[in-house]
Amino acid sequence: MINKRPISTCENFIQNIRLLALISLIFSVSCARLEKSAPVPFSKIRTITNDLEKFGEPFGIAAKDDEIFLSDGETGKIWRAAGNQTFTVLTDKFHTPSQIAFDGDGDLIVADSGTHTIKRLKIESGAVELIAGVENQKGYADGEIGAALFNAPIGVAVFQNKIYVADTYNDKIRVVENGKVATVAGSEQGYANAENGAAAKFDTPCGLAIWKNNLLVADAGNRRLRVIEPNGKTWTLAGNGAEDSMDGSLYESSFVEPLAVSVDNRGVIYVADGNSIRVVGRRFFPFVETITNTKRGFADGDLRAARFNRPSGLASDERGNLFVADSGNQTVRVLTGTEIGAEITREASGKMRISAEEFRNRGEPRWTYNPPDTRREIAGTLGEIRGEIVDANSRVWFHNGLDIAGGYGETARFVRTEKVLHPLATENFATSRELIRMPTVGYIHIRLGRDQADKIFDDKRFAFSRGEDGKLKNVRVPRGAKFEAGEAIGTLNALNHVHLIAGRVGAEMNALDALEFPGIKDSIAPIIERVALYDEGWQLIGETHLRDERIKLGGKTRIVARAFDRMDGNADRRRLGVYRIGYQILRADETPITETDWTISFDRNPDAEAVKYVYATGSKSGATGETIFNYIATNRVSGDDFREDFFDAGALENGSYILRVFAADFFGNQTSEDINFVR
């Protein structure tokens, strides 16, 4: 359990003074030594490769002598790119390779999380050698390298003849030296600094890097950057433990989830944190600053506007370029001041994504329960609003999956075979939103690895921890753990459904399209309850239930359709979101003037900021209460693209017209509602 004891003002002051002296000295000496050869400052972010067919999950990265080496946790490959260009496979003999680092001979040290071992990859021959650990046997044991045990290690760093290891799920930092493995720091999962490494505590440590004679640790679960001195003394360099991306002084700053850390040849520290790149040491005073956008996504160009998706590996080259294994985007990116790589446009980045058809063809049809071919009720669809819009400050969001109803305590099952790749793949333990996120599918509202009475399954892949009172306090599933389709995830909690997410994080698709569910069908068209027209200032002009009023339009108009969908086999009370919304203009004799303009689409999850572009005031939905979907049919929302728009009646000639509003479901059923108006 993370120790959230606040740091006193006095303690904070003393620590900052101590670090100020230490870091300022290191940075000033480094900068003075390298002043004449300082690289061109970063000015942009570019993409080295965007071939998604190559990479499953870029994770660890190392750069040297105009070459890039990359570990691919999903495919088990190590890639090599000469001249920082085309990647070729150096080997495919790993299970789930994570961080990589050069040893003194120029070969690669690899943390193979999936086999619980540390290995060496010979660069020239491609041969793989076991250094420490027992193949496919997890545990914790120091001693001779052939008998030592690790638990899905993720981080490695090399200093002289020592190989440091982040033994991630043992929450320890280990060292391989002179044929033996020893623990440098770490006792149990938690947070504690200590004069003696044996008393220090970590929570899911991931990335490692050498900083002078010290070891830097990206302590992901504690959301902090830690330091281990040669004598084992452990202290916190930056981060206050809050889950946030706040810049500031070392102890005022906060991190989201630091996975990787790297130090360039000037002593500047870079951290891959959440969806952004953070830095310590670019200023004279110790300060944590964010140099890219913190929002998930893909965008090259200006540093501040650039976006990443779970960057997991960092490496600087001799010229000062910073290479990034952009895991969630399945790409390799670079922070640079040169023309290395290419700048990918927004349109081109959209084409990098896998289609729903390709995604569907990579798995077998089944439901999330047994029997796998028995149809279940659909309780929620992608794109529905969650929360309620009362005013501009209302907190609302998109539902990013498919809710599949089940019974309380029923066993939920994986719908396709995958292995865990995210180091912290589970979240929200013992809450209604407990979840596990696999690479391409997510599962929410489940008691992971246990039954309705909290009895733990006989499945060692679910690693539970207990508090001092003996009660369960958390569960982790290590990177590299593999699950077959049909195996148990856990049991349903009181929400009585599986929230099933299809697609990688940040690229969620409509599960009705991306997955195949045996026996599913729908012959019921959506229902449009009413259509209302508003002016630019949201003043009501007219609506469908006021049939006797003569509606006059002469300028920019907003169209709002209150609609919902139903599905075969569902209870009558069940209201689902629609798949598409659009409208058409016709003459009074129903001769079309325009084609149907489908303005809102839920083929994939829209940008999070688009929710109030889709839904008007009064919209609400959740686990309880009334469901109302007021779609703003004149706005345009599809995936990452969204903008405000209007129907401009002023562009029409004087006369009588029909405004026809459409609502359609995924299965092709559609309905329409007409409003007669005059120009």
Side-chain angles (χ1 to χ4, degrees):
M1 184 175 182
I2 296 175
N3 179 5
K4 296 187 177 181
R5 178 184 65 84
I7 299 174
S8 69
T9 302
C10 181
E11 183 182 0
N12 193 351
F13 177 77
I14 293 171
Q15 288 175 322
N16 271 300
I17 290 297
R18 176 177 179 271
L19 288 175
L20 174 61
L22 174 64
I23 298 172
S24 296
L25 175 62
I26 291 173
F27 291 160
S28 61
V29 169
S30 298
C31 291
R33 186 177 66 246
L34 299 169
E35 184 177 3
K36 294 183 179 180
S37 60
V40 176
F42 300 147
S43 60
K44 54 195 168 185
I45 291 178
R46 294 164 69 87
T47 297
I48 299 297
T49 177
N50 62 344
D51 188 352
L52 300 193
E53 291 303 313
K54 282 183 178 291
F55 305 132
E57 184 231 24
F59 191 91
I61 193 165
K64 184 178 182 181
D65 299 330
D66 284 333
E67 284 194 303
I68 304 172
F69 295 87
L70 183 74
S71 70
D72 187 335
E74 188 167 320
T75 66
K77 298 175 181 177
I78 304 294
W79 297 84
R80 179 182 194 174
N84 301 328
Q85 295 179 353
T86 304
F87 281 86
T88 58
V89 176
L90 183 55
T91 183
D92 61 356
K93 302 302 182 184
F94 289 89
H95 184 286
T96 310
S98 296
Q99 192 173 0
I100 58 179
F102 294 109
D103 66 10
D105 297 324
D107 293 321
L108 283 177
I109 304 302
V110 183
D112 193 12
S113 306
T115 62
H116 313 288
T117 58
I118 306 301
K119 296 174 179 175
R120 176 180 287 106
L121 172 60
K122 305 293 288 186
I123 296 300
E124 296 307 319
S125 66
V128 178
E129 302 173 353
L130 179 64
I131 295 177
V134 179
E135 193 86 6
N136 299 316
Q137 184 176 337
K138 69 178 180 180
Y140 169 63
D142 283 338
E144 300 294 329
I145 55 175
L149 296 177
F150 300 89
N151 189 355
I154 287 178
V156 290
V158 179
F159 182 64
Q160 297 175 348
N161 64 337
K162 299 178 181 180
I163 299 173
Y164 290 100
V165 179
D167 192 4
T168 305
Y169 302 96
N170 279 325
D171 303 294
K172 303 179 193 301
I173 308 301
R174 319 277 292 281
V175 64
V176 183
E177 183 181 17
N178 298 326
K180 293 185 177 181
V181 176
T183 299
V184 175
S187 53
E188 60 183 3
Q189 184 181 7
Y191 172 68
N193 293 319
E195 294 292 321
N196 181 349
K201 295 181 182 180
F202 297 88
D203 185 346
T204 324
C206 290
L208 299 179
I210 303 300
W211 181 49
K212 300 299 287 182
N213 294 325
N214 299 319
L215 185 67
L216 282 174
V217 182
D219 193 2
N222 281 320
R223 298 178 289 276
R224 291 176 168 95
L225 194 60
R226 313 284 293 282
V227 177
I228 304 174
E229 296 183 10
N231 62 3
K233 181 178 180 178
T234 302
W235 46 280
T236 297
L237 174 65
N240 59 17
E243 187 176 358
D244 197 0
S245 186
M246 181 178 293
D247 291 347
S249 65
L250 297 178
Y251 291 107
E252 292 174 343
S253 64
S254 58
F255 294 88
V256 175
E257 187 181 87
L259 291 184
V261 59
S262 178
V263 181
D264 72 8
N265 57 13
R266 296 171 297 159
V268 177
I269 300 168
Y270 295 95
V271 184
D273 178 40
N275 298 308
S276 65
I277 307 301
R278 319 284 295 281
V279 62
V280 183
R282 294 205 311 176
R283 306 184 184 192
F284 180 77
F285 293 101
F287 194 84
V288 177
E289 56 184 320
T290 305
I291 57 175
T292 66
N293 200 309
T294 59
K295 184 178 179 182
R296 186 191 310 278
F298 182 98
D300 278 339
D302 178 73
L303 251 62
R304 292 294 180 182
R307 296 185 186 181
F308 292 89
N309 186 352
R310 187 170 66 87
S312 302
L314 301 172
S316 296
D317 67 5
E318 292 83 355
R319 294 179 176 85
N321 298 304
L322 181 67
F323 296 95
V324 182
D326 191 3
S327 298
N329 283 324
Q330 299 174 272
T331 60
V332 178
R333 316 278 293 285
V334 61
L335 284 72
T336 184
T338 68
E339 296 305 307
I340 186 174
E343 186 171 324
I344 305 299
T345 65
R346 181 174 183 141
E347 292 73 22
S349 68
K351 295 178 181 178
M352 292 161 52
R353 292 178 174 174
I354 187 174
S355 69
E357 181 180 9
E358 290 175 298
F359 189 89
R360 185 171 60 250
N361 291 337
R362 295 181 181 181
E364 297 296 325
R366 70 161 293 132
W367 291 84
T368 53
Y369 312 102
N370 279 344
D373 57 351
T374 298
R375 189 204 183 285
R376 295 298 184 111
E377 186 175 6
I378 302 299
T381 58
L382 182 137
E384 294 178 1
I385 190 173
R386 288 296 181 263
E388 178 179 1
I389 299 181
V390 177
D391 54 37
N393 298 318
S394 297
R395 182 179 178 272
V396 289
W397 63 96
F398 287 117
H399 185 258
N400 71 342
L402 188 72
D403 289 345
I404 304 176
Y408 177 74
E410 185 173 5
T411 300
R413 300 185 180 275
F414 290 97
V415 297
R416 59 174 52 183
T417 299
E418 292 189 281
K419 63 180 174 181
V420 171
L421 294 178
H422 194 304
L424 293 96
T426 64
E427 296 180 34
N428 309 322
F429 183 75
T431 72
S432 64
R433 290 190 55 79
E434 188 172 338
L435 65 87
I436 183 168
R437 194 56 162 96
M438 306 298 283
T440 68
V441 182
Y443 309 83
I444 309 180
H445 308 315
I446 298 170
R447 296 183 194 84
L448 298 173
R450 58 200 195 281
D451 66 15
Q452 65 188 59
D454 263 359
K455 182 180 178 181
I456 295 173
F457 289 174
D458 184 17
D459 188 336
K460 301 302 182 184
R461 291 170 294 187
F462 295 96
F464 290 90
S465 57
R466 297 181 182 273
E468 294 180 358
D469 58 2
K471 295 182 179 180
L472 296 176
K473 69 173 185 178
N474 197 18
V475 61
R476 292 182 295 185
V477 181
R479 175 175 165 84
K482 186 177 180 181
F483 293 88
E484 301 290 332
E487 285 195 287
I489 311 169
T491 54
L492 298 189
N493 63 29
L495 293 183
N496 298 330
H497 68 264
V498 173
H499 176 111
L500 184 66
I501 304 170
R504 295 180 185 273
V505 175
E508 293 86 354
M509 295 176 279
N510 194 307
L512 291 172
D513 194 13
L515 298 171
E516 188 172 349
F517 301 100
I520 194 170
K521 64 177 182 176
D522 183 10
S523 61
I524 306 172
I527 293 173
I528 298 177
E529 297 180 284
R530 74 166 192 167
V531 175
L533 306 180
Y534 298 85
D535 65 15
E536 286 186 81
W538 283 102
Q539 295 299 308
L540 182 65
I541 300 172
E543 53 188 326
T544 48
H545 76 274
L546 301 175
R547 298 291 185 182
D548 296 332
E549 288 194 6
R550 186 176 179 82
I551 299 176
K552 295 181 180 181
L553 300 179
K556 291 184 176 180
T557 304
R558 303 178 192 269
I559 303 169
V560 176
R562 178 168 171 171
F564 66 91
D565 190 27
R566 295 176 59 197
M567 184 177 286
D568 291 359
N570 275 13
D572 290 340
R573 61 180 171 79
R574 189 80 71 188
R575 293 190 171 199
L576 304 175
V578 303
Y579 184 67
R580 292 196 299 176
I581 288 285
Y583 67 93
Q584 182 183 29
I585 306 301
L586 307 93
R587 294 185 176 88
D589 63 0
E590 299 199 17
T591 303
I593 296 176
T594 66
E595 298 293 327
T596 303
D597 187 359
W598 295 104
T599 54
I600 298 175
S601 175
F602 294 112
D603 56 329
R604 53 194 178 95
N605 203 40
D607 187 288
E609 294 181 3
V611 63
K612 292 184 181 178
Y613 288 79
V614 174
Y615 294 103
T617 301
S619 298
K620 57 182 177 180
S621 179
T624 60
E626 187 179 13
T627 296
I628 297 174
F629 302 123
N630 288 324
Y631 297 99
I632 309 174
T634 39
N635 285 346
R636 299 187 179 277
V637 179
S638 178
D640 294 335
D641 298 320
F642 62 95
R643 62 183 172 90
E644 184 179 56
D645 204 354
F646 302 89
F647 160 54
D648 189 1
L652 299 172
E653 298 178 353
N654 291 338
S656 298
Y657 298 92
I658 300 170
L659 167 64
R660 181 165 293 166
V661 180
F662 293 90
D665 64 24
F666 169 76
F667 296 90
N669 304 301
Q670 70 178 41
T671 190
S672 64
E673 185 75 16
D674 290 352
I675 287 186
N676 297 311
F677 70 94
V678 295
R679 164 68 172 93

